[in-house]
Amino acid sequence: MAQVSSGGNDHTDRAAGAGASGTRCIALVGPFGSGKTTLLEAILKRTGAIARQGSAGEGNMVGDAGPEARSHGMSVETNFAETDFMGDRFCFADCPGSVEFLAEMEHVLPGVDLAVVVAEDDPRKLPALQLILKSLETRAIPRVLFLNKIDKGSRGVREVLESLQPASSVPLVLRQLPIWEEGKATGFIDLALERAHVYHEREVSTQVDMSDADRARELSARFTMLETLADHDDALMEALLEDIAPDPDLVFGDLVREVREGQICPVFFGSAEHGNGIGRLLKALRHEAPHVDRLLSRLDASGDGTQLKVMKTLHTLHGGKLSIARVLSGAVADGDVLEHCGGEARVSGVYRLFGQQAVKKAPAAAGDLVGLGRLDQVQTCEVLADDKRFLPATPQANGAEQSFEPVLSIAVTAARSQDEVRLSSALAKLVEEDPSLHLEQSQNSGETRLGGQGEMHLRVAQERLAGKYGLTINVDAPQVPYAETIRQETSVRGRHKKQSGGHGQFGDVALTIRPLPRGEGVAFSDQITGGVVPKQYIPSVRDGVLEALQYGPLGFPVVDLAVCLTDGSYHSVDSSDQAFRMAAIMAMREGLESCKPVLLEPVRKVTLFCPSDTTARINAIVASRRGQILGYDARPGWAGWDEVDALIPEVEIGDLIVELRSATAGVASYRSVFDHMAELSGKAADLALRRAGKKAA
């Protein structure tokens, strides 16, 4: 195991309890392209878990080892890897940064002790950084920020921090200063330890003496750090006011406490690609990251018996289902029976995770993150326990923490009819692995719809169907549930008469058809007197009316009209339920043609979320899609973000998210609900009918 030279300190050991037992779980999060997977690779190399640091270009990193990730050059699922550093055990969860795959992060966060937020000097990624920090803040997860790619930065670190601060609700506290030589960061000054180090390519940094100029910079930056810490410590504030050098134990104690309580977000920097700044980050994690006992408190879990939090579900080709879980308390071994909200489940194998590898291990203890085999009924985000008494009482704690509504959907069918059953099974497994995918069977069209968080999200799902399950599928845009209604009233008569030897068929009805206000649906009544239509046949007339309304003159379901049976006649021998049903169908088909049918399209109430500086562009996009802006306001609790409310026809929402993300550096989103059906006429109606393969109105 590689050791980092110098920098050890008795103060940090006493203040933070370094070397305490139990694996700590650290999430690596940050905007897309910030270098999270490269940072994981550098950590594994520095700690001796791997012999050589891989790269994305070579396709040989521990993280992003799946075919879809390597094909697209981006993380599309969370990867896990364990390692040891100076006697402490860590498990890192490398989470995707694209907004389309943030659900992966959201399902992992409830089980981690601390998050390392990987960022870079790129103002375009500030909204994406805010999305991630907001999630951490909402969950009260301790966090540190690692400013990556320091070798490529064009601005000073303090200037970068000023630009990043709006994304965080707590102070970003600089813990290091770069040492510059000819415009290049060649080392750093640790503001807590007051020591200077120089970088070595993918090797341990070494301590050097500080120059007078660097000492002056260090004193100024350290005082700024101490001032921020003193906002939560009166004793430190008093020492600063009296110009007394604070006790080192007090400083390190404050750093640990304020990080763990989420009062500050310390900022470190380096270059993951070159292995710079990795040792200092690892030492901070060793001393300042909390252990699983604090996670129990955050989750409001009792800590009695054995409890586990499921963070992810995988379906392996040969090993079956694998549930990745964090042991919150107790221990779990092969063969143990665990309780969950759906009943009992027996563990079939406990595995240590390292990228794409899962290796059987001894019983897991509190703090460990493990794969548990064949818990077939257990879902992602569930809590498991060895006794039902230890299961959370609230559904939110024992189920999914957050629902991800789909923003883009596709209709899928198997390319070969004999693969339909296999496709259904594969889709169910995909959705179980990734709960942010939504599977729906449309009642109107009969389509199987797969909804996701964006274009890439659905593309990766299709690639998994092909690569993992060997399925070829056809993909289409989902059908829009158009309807039609009528504009005027009419009266019509329908007679069904047929004689073919023996008993014939006879049914005769007179109907009045009139429009109803929008949203009233379909009403049927009768005004039969004198028994001209026997009572036993009236339900059959109603059935015929409803059947005829399934496909109107324009080819869509007919809504918002009232039908009244006013007259008719019957034959004592030849009349039957079937005859009156057919008579009603004939009357309706003739009558609807003369009622001036009109097309109706569904309109949805949409709330869009976007950075404030893009609101004008979002409004223009909505208007270009026949949308009606209802208003916009600041997004509550989100500095620099707006909410835009609008009414948009459903047909225009199909690929809306693609344009929204393009206009907002990939961070905009929306939610929508059905609002009403609106009349559609003219060229827009003709276009809709042509798309649906129907005749023009």
Side-chain angles (χ1 to χ4, degrees), residues 114-168:
L114 179 141
V116 175
V117 184
V118 185
E120 60 181 305
D121 182 11
D122 187 347
R124 296 170 299 177
K125 295 184 178 180
L126 186 63
L129 177 64
Q130 187 176 6
L131 278 175
I132 292 163
L133 287 172
K134 185 71 174 178
S135 183
L136 297 173
E137 292 163 3
T138 300
R139 297 180 183 278
I141 295 175
R143 52 209 171 272
V144 302
L145 191 143
F146 182 75
L147 185 59
N148 195 20
K149 306 179 185 179
I150 187 68
D151 54 314
K152 299 177 181 178
S154 59
R155 298 188 294 173
V157 172
R158 288 198 244 194
E159 185 182 355
V160 174
L161 247 62
E162 289 178 5
S163 68
L164 298 182
Q165 183 61 63
S168 174

Side-chain angles (χ1 to χ4, degrees), residues 145-214:
L145 191 143
F146 182 75
L147 185 59
N148 195 20
K149 306 179 185 179
I150 187 68
D151 54 314
K152 299 177 181 178
S154 59
R155 298 188 294 173
V157 172
R158 288 198 244 194
E159 185 182 355
V160 174
L161 247 62
E162 289 178 5
S163 68
L164 298 182
Q165 183 61 63
S168 174
S169 64
V170 301
L172 299 177
V173 179
L174 192 62
R175 289 282 301 272
Q176 298 172 286
L177 277 181
I179 298 174
W180 298 102
E181 288 186 13
E182 299 180 354
K184 181 180 179 181
T186 58
F188 67 93
I189 302 170
D190 190 315
L191 298 180
L193 296 171
E194 297 189 276
R195 295 173 179 171
H197 296 255
V198 294
Y199 293 135
H200 300 290
E201 183 80 5
R202 297 185 179 179
E203 296 294 339
V204 178
S205 62
T206 54
Q207 186 176 341
V208 295
D209 293 331
M210 248 185 280
S211 67
D212 292 341
D214 284 339

Side-chain angles (χ1 to χ4, degrees), residues 37-38 41 53-65 70:
T37 305
T38 304
E41 195 77 3
Q53 182 172 332
S55 68
E58 295 176 354
N60 59 352
M61 294 195 293
V62 172
D64 290 356
R70 289 187 173 173

Side-chain angles (χ1 to χ4, degrees), residues 581-616:
R581 187 181 68 85
M582 291 302 299
I585 291 174
M586 294 169 63
M588 290 298 297
R589 287 176 178 170
E590 180 182 346
L592 291 174
E593 289 279 5
S594 60
C595 287
K596 292 188 177 179
V598 60
L599 190 64
L600 296 176
E601 68 171 347
V603 177
R604 300 184 71 86
K605 172 74 176 297
V606 182
T607 301
L608 305 102
F609 309 101
C610 61
S612 300
D613 59 357
T614 65
T615 302

